[in-house]
Amino acid sequence: QAFLFQGLPPDLETFASLKRTFFCLFYLLVMPTFWDIPGMQPGVITGDTAKALLKHAKDTGYVIPAINCSSSGTVNSCLEAATTMGKPVIIQFSEDGSASFVGKGLPNEHGVKAASILGAVAAAHYVRNVSPAYGIPVLVNTDLCAKTSLAWLDGMLEADEGFFKAHGEPLFSSHLVEDGAEYLKKMAPLNIIGDLGDYSCVKTVGNDTQWAYYDKRDWELTMVGLVKEAFTNPSLGA
């Protein structure tokens, strides 16, 4: 049997596989990349641009890891890794990680959370100043804020509001809050992505809030829905 092209396999199953591979390669070449999203730029992105990036990741099937950081060194390592991969990343700060960013020696009393607020705000400004040099888009997210630590979120939202008045966008890209639908009303005018969830594993012991894992439901346009099982749970990150 003669074939039009030399080396074309007579095995129809193999030929079909090659056709699928060719189609996939063609699709990857012609489909829009995240750099084609309006407003996309190196450094911290917020609002509609951040939402569009999350949707692009979900629609095209790639993962944007959310990595907890507690120092400038861990931030730098995450940015360097993301640059090496040529992919966007979510830099994330927990309540304790935020306090660590400015040093554990500062007061951080329950109901005030001064060190956690200062650390989160300082960390967000640090990421904003440094990340453009790494040449990749970055979302700045805060990890789970439990009901017992709302003072931390209130302080960050105050910083978001001040930054928004000065620059037309929030300081942070998104905030993750436990069962705080009322906070969405505060975030919406500032164009902040609000992530809500049912965290059945959250428990409070005295003034300490502890949690073990994220809810695995596929949330629309949230951090949780985009971090697949192959990645370490962000709440257990560095």
Side-chain angles (χ1 to χ4, degrees), residues 90-158:
I90 300 168
I91 300 294
Q92 184 166 275
F93 299 99
S94 67
E95 179 187 329
D96 287 341
S98 296
S100 296
F101 199 91
V102 289
K104 287 288 189 176
L106 295 179
N108 203 33
E109 293 90 352
H110 178 68
V112 180
K113 297 297 179 184
S116 291
I117 294 170
L118 176 62
V121 172
H125 278 288
Y126 179 82
V127 176
R128 280 188 167 275
N129 286 326
V130 171
S131 58
Y134 283 85
I136 42 92
V138 178
L139 281 77
V140 180
N141 178 52
T142 55
D143 204 350
L144 177 62
C145 178
K147 296 176 184 178
T148 56
S149 299
L150 292 177
W152 177 47
L153 180 58
D154 289 335
M156 292 187 293
L157 287 176
E158 184 177 342

Side-chain angles (χ1 to χ4, degrees), residues 2-26:
F3 288 91
L4 187 59
F5 299 105
Q6 184 179 3
L8 187 65
D11 185 340
L12 293 180
E13 183 177 345
T14 305
F15 183 53
S17 176
L18 287 175
K19 286 177 63 179
R20 288 193 297 269
T21 302
F22 174 79
F23 175 78
C24 290
L25 290 173
F26 178 76

Side-chain angles (χ1 to χ4, degrees), residues 69-80 91 93 101 126-127:
C69 297
S70 57
S71 65
S72 60
T74 52
V75 169
N76 295 345
S77 296
C78 293
L79 293 174
E80 183 177 349
I91 300 294
F93 299 99
F101 199 91
Y126 179 82
V127 176

